[in-house]
Amino acid sequence: MMLPSEWPRQPFIGIAIAALVGIFIADQLPQAGLGVGLMAASAAIAVWRRSSSATYVFVAASFFALHSTRQTYSAAVALERELGLQPQAITARGVVVTEPKVSERGTSSFLLRLASIQQGNRNIISDATLIARWRGEVRFGDELQLFGVIQPTQRPRNPGEFDMREYLARLDVRQSLLARYPESGRILSRGNGSWIMHAAHASRQWMQSALARGLEDSPDLHGLISGMVLGVRDDTPDEIEEQFQQTGTLHLFAVSGLNVAIVAQLLWTLAAVVRVPRRPAIILTICGLFFYAAITGLNTSSVRAALMAAVLLAGYFAGRKVLAGNSVAAAAVLVLVYDTNQLFSIGFRLSFAVVIAIMLLADPFLRLLMRWCQPDPFLPRSLIAPLQRSSNAAWGTIARGASVSIAAWLGSLPFILPYFHLLTPIALIANLIVVPLAFFVLAVGLMSLLVTPALPWLALVFNNANWALASAILLAVDLLSRAPAGHFYVEAPGWQPGLRLELNALDAASGAALHVRARRDDWLWDTGGARDYKRILRSYLRSRGVNSLDGVALTHGDAAHIGAAIDVFRAFRPREFVDTAAPDRSSVHRMVVTNLDLRGHARQLCATGDEWRLTPDVTIRVLFPPAAHRSRAADDQALVTQIVVHDRWRVLLMSDSGEATERLLLSSGADLQSDVVIKGQHHSGQSGSVDFFERVQPSLVVTSSPVFPEYERVKEEWTQMVRSRGIKLMRQDETGAVTLRFFRDRWEARPYLTSEIYEARADESRHPQPGNASRRWSAATRRRSSR
């Protein structure tokens, strides 16, 4: 074992650590002026002392100043200060700087680098970048003029939802612009921007079409091949991408060291064939690697791999010995010099964490695994049987792959768990099977691209070979994703002693999705719309560690309430499916029921008077509709249930019921008194009448209040009526999702967007009994610190 004094010099490791320290401090306490002063002082000390420690202090101060400046004086920050926090109508002029993504409705989303903004009579010159949405045919490099509404990017409104605001802020994008109609914008010119990026985009489109030749009838497989070769994931279906995530093989879609190594080998071989001298060949190879990184979208993994390869090749160019640790650190420093915010991206962290883990842990694991098949060291090699030598060689190959897989899995675990809430033991096996196949997909794909201009018939042969390889990968990933105990979604640890029931009313705009957790049982009341499933509901359930659901209840045939039902049943396999017995005219409802029937999900029909227990402490009572009830509107036959917790607390779930349903409930004689009412909005905009609240006597009302359609938005007159009766009102346009937790002697409500907590406690002198209509507990509102 070498002593520390004998370790090789790797100065970039210390420089990288100093850079990380400076950026982390600046992110918490951005002080650009202080940073410049510290940088000048530490530079003077470094020149005077000429020591490594002084140099590292100077590096830390420099990155502190650099990141502080970017956080406080960037163009996006200046524009945000200029425009304020309120939505405003503007006319913006700028250039599209990313490849647009087109939604199913034909709306293009892209980053727009501004030239100017016209706001009334005021003209603002700005080179800030914002995210724009417009229903027009947009291409990279187009100069646009858009008229629309600009506002700060929105923060997530539900637990588990991806924080797009934070992500865009790290890209120095703080404003969003919505140009609602095609006539709200026009294309002024095309072909603007960097010619290198134009060439990269054009090359990527050509490569995608070349890889698709002969595979037109297999779009899923072509999407998989394009993802592995070019890092393009837009054509990969969500189901397939989720399977790769669940098997720990999603990294194959990120162009990384494997891709760059193969490209470098092909370029080096090509240079050798045409007899290019060594140094020019190195320069051409480095340029080719960075162009390949540009083609794949300049992702962190591809840039990091290209930089590492460039450092390695530069060492050979200069005739110097190159050390892996120093190369990785140098690549990190160069990335951070270009953009200090890369440090906070999951791609940067995963990319470098995995590489460092492989460097540190792969060899120790390999030595450990090789001990299992090593022959007696005192036994002459000539006495080892050929079969044993072959088996030892095969085990050595498996051990090398397994050691890298284990090291990479351990390196990624600290970031995968908090970001994806996912634990993937099956990844240790999946990578041993899938990565070798992916290596051949990449190699064959690059060979296809290489021969397409000269020998298109041979390219077809390569593409069809890739079809077989990609099919084998999909089959393996599909089987491994179904392996028992192969993957788990896990929730962040938390302890709530005495918790009987937890409800999470997600903010789904005009739709609804309510998660009911009673001890270990997980139910959904409605699933929200199909458009919001991946962004809101699936992300939330995964963050709560839900691997399967115990049941789903559908309240009525509104697409915004049940549109994601098929996706939920496919992903979470609920054991029970509760629906109303009342017939309806909803085509969406009929389609969902028919599809689920074909999948073997039989309905349990419920009607007024039915009830069932989730746990011994939690009972569900069905209050509406009766089995034979008929209505023209789906909202007027929505399922109304009451949750009774510990025979003390009650929650009334009204869905989108209106005043017609409320009148029927009042005339039914049912005990409606409840502590909490959770309601949506009737299509007429009329719900939550005075007489109804007089009977229910709630302490808290949680209601949706969508921006669109406007007639379903909560009206100020209604808001004042509710609050004038001493009822706490939580409008989800103000609060986002609302979490309610019920204990034996108290309950609390926590909005997601605010720090307010509403709490109610039972009156210790008089315990409320079931069916008693009098209010026997007091409610108090208090504020605590934000989460």
Side-chain angles (χ1 to χ4, degrees):
M1 181 176 179
M2 290 192 300
L3 296 173
S5 59
E6 298 174 329
W7 290 352
R9 287 179 55 82
Q10 302 189 64
F12 273 106
I13 294 179
I15 292 173
I17 294 173
L20 299 185
V21 171
I23 294 172
F24 272 122
I25 296 175
D27 201 63
Q28 299 299 317
L29 301 168
Q31 297 289 335
L34 176 62
V36 173
L38 290 174
M39 184 174 65
S42 58
I45 294 173
V47 172
W48 175 50
R49 293 289 302 274
R50 297 182 181 274
S51 64
S52 297
S53 58
T55 301
Y56 297 150
V57 170
F58 167 71
V59 171
S62 299
F63 276 91
F64 176 88
L66 180 61
H67 188 64
S68 294
T69 302
R70 286 175 173 170
Q71 291 296 95
T72 53
Y73 295 109
S74 69
V77 172
L79 181 63
E80 186 176 45
R81 291 171 182 160
E82 181 78 21
L83 295 177
L85 301 178
Q86 298 302 316
Q88 301 180 53
I90 65 160
T91 300
R93 182 170 180 167
V95 176
V96 179
V97 293
T98 58
E99 195 72 29
K101 294 183 179 180
V102 183
S103 69
E104 295 178 356
R105 297 187 174 187
T107 301
S108 297
S109 300
F110 49 89
L111 293 184
L112 183 75
R113 180 167 295 147
L114 295 172
S116 64
I117 289 178
Q118 188 74 33
Q119 183 188 30
N121 296 325
R122 186 168 60 142
N123 188 51
I124 303 172
I125 304 299
S126 173
D127 61 349
T129 302
L130 52 76
I131 183 168
R133 295 177 179 87
W134 177 46
R135 195 171 292 182
E137 296 183 4
V138 187
R139 294 188 303 203
F140 172 82
D142 286 354
E143 184 184 8
L144 305 179
Q145 180 175 295
L146 300 176
F147 172 76
V149 176
I150 191 170
Q151 62 182 352
T153 52
Q154 299 298 304
R155 61 176 294 188
R157 305 183 63 83
N158 296 279
E161 187 178 342
F162 178 69
D163 194 344
M164 182 60 75
R165 180 182 183 179
E166 173 69 16
Y167 170 76
L168 290 174
R170 295 297 181 187
L171 299 177
D172 198 27
V173 176
R174 298 174 182 269
Q175 302 282 332
S176 64
L177 173 65
L178 175 61
R180 190 176 295 276
Y181 307 105
E183 55 270 21
S184 300
R186 61 192 181 101
I187 300 172
L188 302 177
S189 64
R190 293 190 183 273
N192 299 280
S194 166
W195 68 269
I196 296 178
M197 294 305 299
H198 274 289
H201 283 288
S203 299
R204 180 166 57 189
Q205 291 174 357
W206 176 84
M207 291 178 181
Q208 282 185 267
S209 62
L211 293 172
R213 292 182 68 241
L215 307 180
E216 290 81 5
D217 58 343
S218 304
D220 290 353
L221 294 175
H222 168 242
L224 177 62
I225 294 169
S226 293
M228 291 184 175
V229 177
L230 302 175
V232 179
R233 291 166 58 176
D234 295 342
D235 298 332
T236 306
D238 288 341
E239 291 180 35
I240 293 177
E241 190 170 313
E242 188 171 27
Q243 288 177 342
F244 276 86
Q245 186 182 91
Q246 292 170 347
T247 54
T249 53
L250 188 62
H251 62 88
L252 296 175
F253 288 90
V255 175
S256 58
L258 176 66
N259 308 60
V260 170
I262 295 176
V263 171
Q265 183 62 50
L266 286 175
L267 292 173
W268 190 260
T269 302
L270 185 63
V273 169
V274 298
R275 296 186 177 183
V276 177
R278 176 181 167 182
R279 291 194 171 187
I282 290 175
I283 295 173
L284 291 174
T285 301
I286 292 174
C287 294
L289 293 180
F290 280 108
F291 186 69
Y292 178 67
I295 289 173
T296 59
L298 291 177
N299 297 313
T300 301
S301 56
S302 62
V303 173
R304 185 263 309 159
L307 283 172
M308 286 181 59
V311 172
L312 183 69
L313 291 171
Y316 290 129
F317 184 91
R320 299 284 299 273
K321 183 179 180 180
V322 179
L323 301 171
N326 207 44
S327 299
V328 172
V333 171
L334 291 174
V335 171
L336 294 175
V337 167
Y338 174 73
D339 182 8
T340 52
N341 277 309
Q342 283 290 332
L343 179 59
F344 304 95
S345 73
I346 187 64
F348 179 93
R349 294 182 177 186
L350 271 176
S351 180
F352 283 95
V354 167
V355 171
I356 292 170
I358 291 173
M359 289 167 47
L360 297 177
L361 302 177
D363 285 344
F365 278 119
L366 177 61
R367 289 192 294 268
L368 179 64
L369 294 173
M370 290 301 294
R371 290 178 187 172
W372 297 354
C373 66
Q374 282 182 344
D376 188 336
F378 296 101
L379 184 68
R381 183 173 177 80
S382 59
L383 298 181
I384 301 176
L387 181 60
Q388 185 178 357
R389 286 201 296 268
S390 299
S391 64
N392 289 348
W395 175 251
T397 302
I398 295 173
R400 281 188 289 274
S403 62
V404 172
S405 179
I406 294 171
W409 185 72
L410 291 175
S412 65
L413 197 59
F415 302 100
I416 291 293
L417 274 176
Y419 191 81
F420 294 108
H421 312 283
L422 181 61
L423 188 64
T424 56
I426 197 65
L428 301 177
I429 299 173
N431 279 286
L432 288 177
I433 299 171
V434 175
V435 168
L437 292 173
F439 173 85
F440 288 109
V441 167
L442 177 59
V444 172
L446 292 175
M447 290 301 298
S448 172
L449 296 175
L450 193 63
V451 302
T452 293
L455 301 170
W457 63 268
L458 184 57
L460 281 175
V461 174
F462 284 132
N463 287 348
N464 281 279
N466 252 350
W467 177 91
L469 291 169
S471 298
I473 289 176
L474 282 184
L475 177 61
V477 169
D478 181 55
L479 293 175
L480 291 168
S481 67
R482 301 172 189 267
H487 68 274
F488 304 94
Y489 287 93
V490 293
E491 184 178 9
W495 188 47
Q496 296 286 340
L499 182 64
R500 296 293 195 271
L501 176 73
E502 180 178 342
L503 305 178
N504 271 280
L506 301 182
D507 181 12
S510 60
L514 176 72
H515 178 219
V516 179
R517 171 168 286 181
R519 295 188 180 178
R520 296 186 178 181
D521 283 6
D522 290 292
W523 279 71
L524 275 182
W525 256 249
D526 285 338
T527 62
R531 186 177 62 176
D532 296 329
Y533 165 69
K534 181 179 178 181
R535 179 175 61 89
I536 296 177
L537 184 59
R538 190 181 73 176
S539 298
Y540 164 77
L541 291 175
R542 295 310 194 197
S543 72
R544 296 304 308 276
V546 176
N547 293 281
S548 62
L549 287 166
D550 294 279
V552 171
L554 302 183
T555 62
H556 65 299
D558 185 336
H561 284 248
I562 67 172
I566 296 173
D567 293 320
V568 168
F569 275 79
R570 184 189 298 118
F572 295 95
R573 307 176 301 281
R575 292 188 293 106
E576 298 184 56
F577 173 22
V578 176
D579 202 358
T580 64
D584 64 26
R585 302 167 59 188
S586 168
S587 59
V588 176
H589 192 196
R590 289 196 299 271
M591 181 195 69
V592 168
V593 170
T594 301
N595 192 290
L596 295 180
D597 281 342
L598 293 175
R599 294 172 179 268
H601 298 288
R603 291 190 296 165
Q604 299 178 29
L605 300 180
C606 65
T608 301
D610 292 342
E611 69 175 53
W612 72 92
R613 287 186 177 272
L614 294 185
T615 69
D617 294 332
V618 180
T619 302
I620 308 295
R621 297 174 180 170
V622 180
L623 304 182
F624 190 84
H629 179 77
R630 289 180 178 273
S631 178
R632 291 186 177 182
D635 285 359
D636 290 329
Q637 54 188 34
L639 176 66
V640 177
T641 53
Q642 187 181 58
I643 304 178
V644 182
V645 186
H646 207 270
D647 287 334
R648 172 170 291 169
W649 313 117
R650 298 181 183 185
V651 182
L652 188 60
L653 308 180
M654 293 296 295
S655 187
D656 282 351
S657 300
E659 290 186 347
T661 299
E662 293 172 4
R663 288 193 294 269
L664 291 172
L665 288 172
L666 291 173
S667 64
S668 69
D671 183 4
L672 301 177
Q673 181 187 354
S674 301
D675 303 280
V676 181
V677 174
I678 301 177
K679 64 182 294 295
Q681 299 299 324
H682 191 265
H683 70 275
S684 68
Q686 303 297 320
S687 62
S689 64
V690 174
D691 292 341
F692 185 70
F693 282 139
E694 284 295 326
R695 176 75 69 85
V696 177
Q697 296 187 11
S699 299
L700 170 69
V701 173
V702 179
T703 180
S704 63
S705 181
V707 175
F708 184 83
E710 186 175 355
Y711 57 79
E712 291 190 8
R713 193 181 311 167
V714 170
K715 298 176 176 58
E716 280 304 315
E717 298 82 4
W718 185 85
T719 298
Q720 293 173 8
M721 181 274 291
V722 172
R723 290 173 175 165
S724 68
R725 282 161 173 74
I727 301 172
K728 176 65 180 178
L729 177 62
M730 291 189 177
R731 299 173 40 159
Q732 291 194 288
D733 58 340
E734 300 172 351
T735 65
V738 177
T739 300
L740 298 108
R741 295 189 178 97
F742 294 84
F743 303 85
R744 184 181 181 87
D745 61 348
R746 66 183 179 90
W747 61 267
E748 64 181 28
R750 294 172 176 251
Y752 184 72
L753 294 181
T754 68
S755 59
E756 182 181 27
I757 296 177
Y758 182 87
E759 184 176 89
R761 293 186 176 273
D763 188 337
E764 296 179 355
S765 63
R766 294 178 296 172
H767 297 286
Q769 300 298 324
N772 192 337
S774 63
R775 297 178 62 181
R776 297 189 176 180
W777 46 85
S778 61
T781 303
R782 68 178 188 268
R783 292 183 177 272
R784 297 177 182 169
S785 60
S786 179
R787 288 175 295 276

